[in-house]
């Protein structure tokens, strides 16, 4: 099956350039010229990935990303944001609302194709899998068990849900608010700092002395399951 891509961009010439390149690379492509059309297109047929321009008329790309992440049916669609802004704070804002990657304009179509392929490779199918793995960490959902290098790990229910959520999208950075929504639910009020407490417990449980820390803290943004570079 050809991967199905939704390109959300109001610049018609750029859309046509991207459509040409992605179709040549074996993608099925649909486009939307504004945020509302994008949400309609997603509701009609769920894309495998959305390429989303930041600057759109009416509803901004950031708001579209936020809306996609809010609903359980669209939460797992990978998003790559396009933007003319090269600012680090904008990149972090994009990642905060749940974009999987970020490509600054101007870019070459082949660069975007490569990034799309990388994100698709990384993103797991949304169907429930019994085994979630990351490095030497294994979560067996049917047995409700977690192992690191074969060593059993005991987690509280919240840490279990938190780890499961992170394991489903390794490498992606989540803000405390996103983790609260996903793990605790939107209906209860919990202090964002509570997330830090549970992340600390989770870290303590999964990392033995000598193990690499699998949870990355992204300053002012949040947390990700990642091979640690600068913990
Ligand atoms: Ca635009």
């Amino acid at each position: 099956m050809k991967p199905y891509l939704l390109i959300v961009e109001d610049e018609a010439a750029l859309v046509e350039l991207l459509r040409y390149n992605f179709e040549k690379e074996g993608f099925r492509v649909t486009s939307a010229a504004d945020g509302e059309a994008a949400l309609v297109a997603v509701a009609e047929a769920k894309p495998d990935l959305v390429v989303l321009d930041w600057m759109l008329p009416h509803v901004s790309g950031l708001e579209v990303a936020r809306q996609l992440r809010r609903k359980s049916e669209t939460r797992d669609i990978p998003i790559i944001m396009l933007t003319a802004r090269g600012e680090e704070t904008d990149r972090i804002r994009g990642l905060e609302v749940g974009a999987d990657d970020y490509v600054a304009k101007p870019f070459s179509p082949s660069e975007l194709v490569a990034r799309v392929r990388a994100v698709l490779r990384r993103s797991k199918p949304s169907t429930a899998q019994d085994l979630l793995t990351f490095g030497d960490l294994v979560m067996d959902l049917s047995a409700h068990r977690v192992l690191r290098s074969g060593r059993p790990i005991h987690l509280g229910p919240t840490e279990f849900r938190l780890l499961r959520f992170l394991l489903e999208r390794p490498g992606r950075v989540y803000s405390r608010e996103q983790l609260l929504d996903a793990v605790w639910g939107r209906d209860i009020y919990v202090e964002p700092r509570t997330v830090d407490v549970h992340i600390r417990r989770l870290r303590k449980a999964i990392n033995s002395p000598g193990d690499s820390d699998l949870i990355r803290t992204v300053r002012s943004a949040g947390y990700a399951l990642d091979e640690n570079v600068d913990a």
Side-chain angles (χ1 to χ4, degrees), residues 82-144:
L82 301 181
T83 173
R85 314 171 186 211
E87 305 266 327
E88 177 77 0
T89 51
D90 288 334
R91 195 178 71 84
I92 288 176
R93 279 179 68 201
L95 292 174
E96 258 181 4
V97 297
D100 294 85
D101 201 356
Y102 162 95
V103 176
K105 290 179 182 176
F107 57 86
S108 70
S110 58
E111 181 192 347
L112 183 61
V113 170
R115 301 284 276 275
V116 165
R117 286 199 193 287
V119 169
L120 284 177
R121 255 198 313 274
R122 217 162 66 200
S123 68
K124 298 245 170 56
S126 55
T127 51
Q129 291 175 313
D130 279 355
L131 277 190
L132 294 170
T133 62
F134 182 77
D136 53 6
L137 192 67
V138 180
M139 175 177 276
D140 183 341
L141 292 174
S142 52
H144 207 81

Side-chain angles (χ1 to χ4, degrees), residues 21-78:
N21 279 275
F22 276 100
E23 285 180 351
K24 202 175 62 171
E25 294 289 330
F27 287 79
R28 197 154 59 86
V29 178
T30 295
S31 64
D34 61 55
E36 281 152 22
L39 294 169
V40 169
V42 167
E44 277 170 2
K46 190 174 169 181
D48 293 308
L49 187 144
V50 178
V51 171
L52 181 59
D53 189 33
W54 185 297
M55 301 297 280
L56 290 171
H58 317 308
V59 184
S60 74
L62 208 60
E63 184 52 33
V64 172
R66 208 171 274 142
Q67 294 199 23
L68 290 177
R69 287 295 174 252
R70 202 169 288 155
K71 291 198 197 137
S72 57
E73 315 88 76
T74 56
R75 180 171 288 160
D76 59 341
I77 302 173

